[in-house]
Amino acid sequence: MDVLDLTRLQFAVVTIYHYFFVPLSISLAASAAGLQIAWLRTKKAEYLHLTKFVGKLLIITFAVGVVTGLVQEFQFGLGWSAFANFYGDVFGPTLAIEGMLAFFLEATFLALWYFGWDRLPRLVHTACIVIVAVGTLLSAFIILAANSFMQNPVAYALDPVTGRARLTSFTDLMLNKVNLAAFPHTMSGALMVGGALLLALGVWRLAADPAYGILARLGAWLTLAGGGFTALTGDHLGKVITEVQPMKMAAAEALYETTSGAPFAVFATGKPLPEFALEIPWLLSILAKGNPNATVQGIDDLQAQYAAEFGPGSYVPMIPVAFWTFRLMIGAGMLAMVVAAFYLWRTRKGRQAPRWLTRWLPLIPLLPTAANTFGWIFTETARQPWIAFGISKVADGISPGLTSSEVIASLAGFTVVYGVLAVVWLRLVRHLARQPLAAPPATADKSDLAPVY
């Protein structure tokens, strides 16, 4: 691997690892806010105890997410300084605002919420966790705008003096059509991951406290609902991507020839794919353009078009990676939905889930996490060779003078640190889940239900 490949690998490792915690923070914040509102309305002690439990999960996850997020932003200076220098005026505002939201808004109100039990008025205290939940959504929307710029560059102009790209409209950057489509899709995927974690922990600790049954069913509903919304929003996102990056959709299907009424291959073999394919007729045309008879451009025609427009070179991404990550993303997400739906059906009206199911359910967070990971791998690798589609290639963005040994050393260091963080996070979650939920008082009036740690 040359220095470019190593730098891409380092960025992929850092980004994928960071994104393990981002969707959890988003969904856990919303879950804690929902549970506290439910407790505020019903005064049921179970909701109070679950609010505190989910809130502590959020704090653990948020802390690790902040640490990994800092490294994520440092990557632009470490390995991609040429890209950062050229597009810094466009990327800078999004990274700065997202950083301020995370450090000032979310962290401040999360601290107020944690230390404010029995100190703040209940409505004010509840508002703190609601603000945290809203803050995570704002952070996600703004940082996705930066990524959407790489998929569909908008709101920029080249400065005639410096030659650098400068931002022309922050509003247009935020309202990029890719961002408007990717945001609900990404948030739906986050809901699946958080729901799966709550389902896993609820099932694992169900024997310790019946309140965990509430948590397990809540997690199952979030996983199922998140999966449904992910499918709906993904359909819209696919059509937007077909419009702005037709090569990406062609690579997802390994479609070499422009085809009307294009089928979708569930499975294919061959070098490169497909020689043999199990196909669903017209489905790719439906996914790409919403019309079973629509024409989908093929890889060969797009390669010729891009070579004429941008100059000689290969504009074809890694076809097997695009093909299989697209299907693994869909398959893992659908399997998570099926498992969650099956659990809800088997536990309806107070029934107990079979032992074989509860034995394996603690592993269910792996499914939506894998779906998210495969989705991002597809999104980024199928954009190649562009770092910002149509205007800058990946090879143009690497830091000048960077050596392979420097990248290997930093990658090894990040891997060790991230491995330690993973162990710490898992041990803290396991320790927290093993602690008993506070028992509700035998007799209580409204004043007895004041939240106290």
Side-chain angles (χ1 to χ4, degrees):
M1 299 178 70
D2 60 18
V3 64
L4 176 60
D5 292 331
L6 287 169
T7 307
R8 290 178 61 194
L9 175 62
Q10 177 175 276
F11 197 89
V13 169
V14 170
T15 303
I16 290 172
Y17 188 88
H18 173 59
Y19 201 74
F20 288 158
F21 303 97
V22 171
L24 284 175
S25 296
I26 294 169
S27 52
L28 290 176
S31 299
L35 285 166
Q36 183 156 347
I37 291 171
W39 168 73
L40 198 64
R41 290 176 60 86
T42 66
K43 301 299 186 291
K44 290 183 178 180
E46 292 87 349
Y47 291 141
L48 169 62
H49 306 321
L50 291 175
T51 299
K52 294 180 178 181
F53 175 73
V54 175
K56 291 177 182 178
L57 285 176
L58 169 62
I59 291 170
I60 295 169
T61 305
F62 182 82
V64 177
V66 167
V67 173
T68 57
L70 288 174
V71 178
Q72 170 72 16
E73 295 195 4
F74 289 157
Q75 288 295 292
F76 290 108
L78 291 170
W80 304 97
S81 62
F83 175 77
N85 179 64
F86 192 70
Y87 296 104
D89 292 344
V90 178
F91 264 61
T94 60
L95 297 179
I97 293 173
E98 192 275 337
M100 288 189 292
L101 282 171
F103 283 105
F104 293 101
L105 181 70
E106 297 165 39
T108 298
F109 281 94
L110 187 57
L112 285 172
W113 178 82
Y114 182 78
F115 294 106
W117 286 103
D118 205 30
R119 292 178 176 87
L120 296 174
R122 291 184 181 180
L123 288 177
V124 174
H125 185 259
T126 303
C128 289
I129 192 64
V130 172
I131 291 173
V132 172
V134 172
T136 61
L137 295 176
L138 288 174
S139 293
F141 184 77
I142 291 171
I143 207 66
L144 280 172
N147 181 266
S148 297
F149 176 86
M150 299 169 71
Q151 315 297 333
N152 180 42
V154 297
Y156 79 99
L158 295 180
D159 192 303
V161 177
T162 64
R164 300 175 61 192
R166 58 180 176 82
L167 184 65
T168 57
S169 172
F170 184 76
T171 301
D172 290 344
L173 182 67
M174 292 295 105
L175 298 182
N176 187 336
K177 66 173 71 176
V178 174
N179 192 33
L180 296 180
F183 175 72
H185 185 63
T186 307
M187 295 305 97
S188 300
L191 196 65
M192 289 189 73
V193 178
L197 179 63
L198 298 183
L199 171 57
L201 293 174
V203 168
W204 182 45
R205 296 295 294 160
L206 183 57
D209 194 313
Y212 279 111
I214 299 174
L215 188 70
R217 286 186 61 83
L218 171 63
W221 277 115
L222 291 177
T223 305
L224 184 59
F229 284 119
T230 300
L232 291 173
T233 55
D235 175 71
H236 175 60
L237 178 59
K239 293 173 174 57
V240 173
I241 290 299
T242 302
E243 179 183 348
V244 300
Q245 289 185 60
M247 179 66 85
K248 180 178 288 186
M249 185 57 72
E253 181 54 31
L255 183 73
Y256 286 88
E257 297 181 0
T258 299
T259 305
S260 297
F264 178 87
V266 178
F267 176 83
T269 60
K271 263 192 176 181
L273 301 168
E275 289 179 3
F276 167 79
L278 178 63
E279 296 179 337
I280 301 176
W282 307 296
L283 184 55
L284 181 62
S285 289
I286 295 173
L287 292 174
K289 298 189 176 181
N291 184 339
N293 298 313
T295 299
V296 180
Q297 287 181 283
I299 294 170
D300 293 340
D301 286 346
L302 288 168
Q303 166 62 27
Q305 176 185 325
Y306 290 166
E309 183 176 356
F310 302 114
S314 175
Y315 298 92
V316 180
M318 296 179 287
I319 301 302
V321 174
F323 184 90
W324 285 114
T325 53
F326 191 71
R327 281 146 186 80
L328 290 170
M329 171 190 68
I330 296 172
M334 290 181 64
L335 184 56
M337 289 178 62
V338 170
V339 173
F342 184 69
Y343 176 82
L344 289 170
W345 179 71
R346 290 304 298 263
T347 58
R348 68 194 187 281
K349 298 181 180 180
R351 292 178 173 87
Q352 297 296 318
R355 180 171 296 182
W356 65 266
L357 180 61
T358 57
R359 183 179 302 169
W360 291 102
L361 267 177
L363 297 177
I364 192 176
L366 296 177
L367 290 175
T369 299
N372 275 334
T373 301
F374 287 128
W376 276 112
I377 292 174
F378 167 74
T379 297
E380 298 306 305
T381 60
R383 189 185 65 244
Q384 302 300 314
W386 302 106
I387 194 169
F389 184 79
I391 56 176
S392 180
K393 293 183 179 180
V394 172
D396 301 327
I398 194 172
S399 298
L402 192 64
T403 65
S404 297
S405 58
E406 291 172 335
V407 180
I408 291 172
S410 59
L411 176 58
F414 289 148
T415 302
V416 171
V417 172
Y418 282 178
V420 172
L421 287 175
V423 172
V424 169
W425 182 83
L426 286 170
R427 288 178 66 88
L428 286 174
V429 170
R430 185 180 180 186
H431 173 77
L432 176 61
R434 285 183 167 179
Q435 303 304 306
L437 292 176
T443 59
D445 56 25
K446 290 183 178 181
S447 62
D448 292 329
L449 289 178
V452 181
Y453 270 105

mmCIF file of all heavy atoms in Angstrom, residues 406-422:
data_model
loop_
_atom_site.group_PDB
_atom_site.id
_atom_site.type_symbol
_atom_site.label_atom_id
_atom_site.label_comp_id
_atom_site.label_asym_id
_atom_site.label_seq_id
_atom_site.Cartn_x
_atom_site.Cartn_y
_atom_site.Cartn_z
ATOM 1 N N GLU A 406 5.087 7.521 8.676
ATOM 2 C CA GLU A 406 4.334 8.432 9.545
ATOM 3 C C GLU A 406 2.877 7.991 9.667
ATOM 4 O O GLU A 406 2.298 8.007 10.758
ATOM 5 C CB GLU A 406 4.413 9.863 8.998
ATOM 6 C CG GLU A 406 5.792 10.484 9.106
ATOM 7 C CD GLU A 406 5.882 11.816 8.384
ATOM 8 O OE1 GLU A 406 5.082 12.044 7.443
ATOM 9 O OE2 GLU A 406 6.753 12.623 8.741
ATOM 10 N N VAL A 407 2.288 7.591 8.546
ATOM 11 C CA VAL A 407 0.896 7.153 8.570
ATOM 12 C C VAL A 407 0.757 5.857 9.355
ATOM 13 O O VAL A 407 -0.165 5.695 10.160
ATOM 14 C CB VAL A 407 0.349 6.978 7.140
ATOM 15 C CG1 VAL A 407 -1.105 6.524 7.187
ATOM 16 C CG2 VAL A 407 0.469 8.272 6.351
ATOM 17 N N ILE A 408 1.676 4.929 9.140
ATOM 18 C CA ILE A 408 1.615 3.657 9.857
ATOM 19 C C ILE A 408 1.746 3.878 11.362
ATOM 20 O O ILE A 408 1.031 3.268 12.161
ATOM 21 C CB ILE A 408 2.723 2.705 9.340
ATOM 22 C CG1 ILE A 408 2.413 2.275 7.905
ATOM 23 C CG2 ILE A 408 2.846 1.478 10.241
ATOM 24 C CD1 ILE A 408 3.540 1.488 7.254
ATOM 25 N N ALA A 409 2.657 4.763 11.762
ATOM 26 C CA ALA A 409 2.852 5.033 13.182
ATOM 27 C C ALA A 409 1.603 5.638 13.812
ATOM 28 O O ALA A 409 1.168 5.224 14.897
ATOM 29 C CB ALA A 409 4.048 5.967 13.374
ATOM 30 N N SER A 410 1.013 6.631 13.144
ATOM 31 C CA SER A 410 -0.190 7.263 13.702
ATOM 32 C C SER A 410 -1.367 6.301 13.679
ATOM 33 O O SER A 410 -2.171 6.261 14.625
ATOM 34 C CB SER A 410 -0.530 8.532 12.921
ATOM 35 O OG SER A 410 -0.752 8.256 11.551
ATOM 36 N N LEU A 411 -1.468 5.476 12.627
ATOM 37 C CA LEU A 411 -2.547 4.499 12.563
ATOM 38 C C LEU A 411 -2.413 3.479 13.685
ATOM 39 O O LEU A 411 -3.411 3.123 14.331
ATOM 40 C CB LEU A 411 -2.535 3.789 11.206
ATOM 41 C CG LEU A 411 -3.557 2.663 11.003
ATOM 42 C CD1 LEU A 411 -4.981 3.179 11.203
ATOM 43 C CD2 LEU A 411 -3.405 2.039 9.613
ATOM 44 N N ALA A 412 -1.194 3.025 13.950
ATOM 45 C CA ALA A 412 -0.981 2.081 15.049
ATOM 46 C C ALA A 412 -1.346 2.720 16.386
ATOM 47 O O ALA A 412 -1.973 2.081 17.242
ATOM 48 C CB ALA A 412 0.477 1.616 15.059
ATOM 49 N N GLY A 413 -0.965 3.985 16.566
ATOM 50 C CA GLY A 413 -1.302 4.675 17.809
ATOM 51 C C GLY A 413 -2.795 4.827 17.988
ATOM 52 O O GLY A 413 -3.336 4.574 19.086
ATOM 53 N N PHE A 414 -3.480 5.243 16.932
ATOM 54 C CA PHE A 414 -4.939 5.378 17.016
ATOM 55 C C PHE A 414 -5.595 4.030 17.312
ATOM 56 O O PHE A 414 -6.549 3.957 18.097
ATOM 57 C CB PHE A 414 -5.492 5.933 15.704
ATOM 58 C CG PHE A 414 -5.149 7.375 15.466
ATOM 59 C CD1 PHE A 414 -4.955 7.854 14.167
ATOM 60 C CD2 PHE A 414 -5.009 8.264 16.517
ATOM 61 C CE1 PHE A 414 -4.633 9.178 13.937
ATOM 62 C CE2 PHE A 414 -4.678 9.593 16.298
ATOM 63 C CZ PHE A 414 -4.490 10.046 15.006
ATOM 64 N N THR A 415 -5.084 2.980 16.689
ATOM 65 C CA THR A 415 -5.681 1.663 16.890
ATOM 66 C C THR A 415 -5.563 1.220 18.338
ATOM 67 O O THR A 415 -6.513 0.687 18.927
ATOM 68 C CB THR A 415 -5.007 0.631 15.967
ATOM 69 O OG1 THR A 415 -5.150 1.052 14.607
ATOM 70 C CG2 THR A 415 -5.638 -0.743 16.130
ATOM 71 N N VAL A 416 -4.405 1.452 18.945
ATOM 72 C CA VAL A 416 -4.210 1.083 20.351
ATOM 73 C C VAL A 416 -5.133 1.893 21.254
ATOM 74 O O VAL A 416 -5.812 1.349 22.136
ATOM 75 C CB VAL A 416 -2.736 1.284 20.757
ATOM 76 C CG1 VAL A 416 -2.569 1.117 22.272
ATOM 77 C CG2 VAL A 416 -1.844 0.304 20.018
ATOM 78 N N VAL A 417 -5.173 3.207 21.038
ATOM 79 C CA VAL A 417 -6.024 4.065 21.873
ATOM 80 C C VAL A 417 -7.490 3.689 21.712
ATOM 81 O O VAL A 417 -8.243 3.594 22.688
ATOM 82 C CB VAL A 417 -5.796 5.552 21.513
ATOM 83 C CG1 VAL A 417 -6.812 6.442 22.219
ATOM 84 C CG2 VAL A 417 -4.379 5.969 21.885
ATOM 85 N N TYR A 418 -7.917 3.462 20.461
ATOM 86 C CA TYR A 418 -9.312 3.112 20.228
ATOM 87 C C TYR A 418 -9.647 1.753 20.822
ATOM 88 O O TYR A 418 -10.764 1.517 21.284
ATOM 89 C CB TYR A 418 -9.606 3.122 18.727
ATOM 90 C CG TYR A 418 -9.791 4.520 18.160
ATOM 91 C CD1 TYR A 418 -10.033 4.710 16.813
ATOM 92 C CD2 TYR A 418 -9.727 5.639 18.981
ATOM 93 C CE1 TYR A 418 -10.218 5.978 16.285
ATOM 94 C CE2 TYR A 418 -9.908 6.896 18.467
ATOM 95 C CZ TYR A 418 -10.150 7.071 17.119
ATOM 96 O OH TYR A 418 -10.331 8.323 16.616
ATOM 97 N N GLY A 419 -8.688 0.830 20.785
ATOM 98 C CA GLY A 419 -8.920 -0.461 21.420
ATOM 99 C C GLY A 419 -9.137 -0.319 22.911
ATOM 100 O O GLY A 419 -10.031 -0.947 23.495
ATOM 101 N N VAL A 420 -8.329 0.533 23.552
ATOM 102 C CA VAL A 420 -8.500 0.791 24.987
ATOM 103 C C VAL A 420 -9.850 1.436 25.263
ATOM 104 O O VAL A 420 -10.561 1.060 26.205
ATOM 105 C CB VAL A 420 -7.343 1.677 25.505
ATOM 106 C CG1 VAL A 420 -7.613 2.118 26.948
ATOM 107 C CG2 VAL A 420 -6.017 0.941 25.424
ATOM 108 N N LEU A 421 -10.222 2.411 24.440
ATOM 109 C CA LEU A 421 -11.521 3.074 24.623
ATOM 110 C C LEU A 421 -12.677 2.090 24.467
ATOM 111 O O LEU A 421 -13.677 2.174 25.193
ATOM 112 C CB LEU A 421 -11.670 4.219 23.624
ATOM 113 C CG LEU A 421 -10.844 5.471 23.887
ATOM 114 C CD1 LEU A 421 -11.001 6.467 22.737
ATOM 115 C CD2 LEU A 421 -11.251 6.131 25.200
ATOM 116 N N ALA A 422 -12.560 1.169 23.524
ATOM 117 C CA ALA A 422 -13.616 0.182 23.319
ATOM 118 C C ALA A 422 -13.781 -0.693 24.560
ATOM 119 O O ALA A 422 -14.905 -0.957 25.014
ATOM 120 C CB ALA A 422 -13.307 -0.688 22.103
#
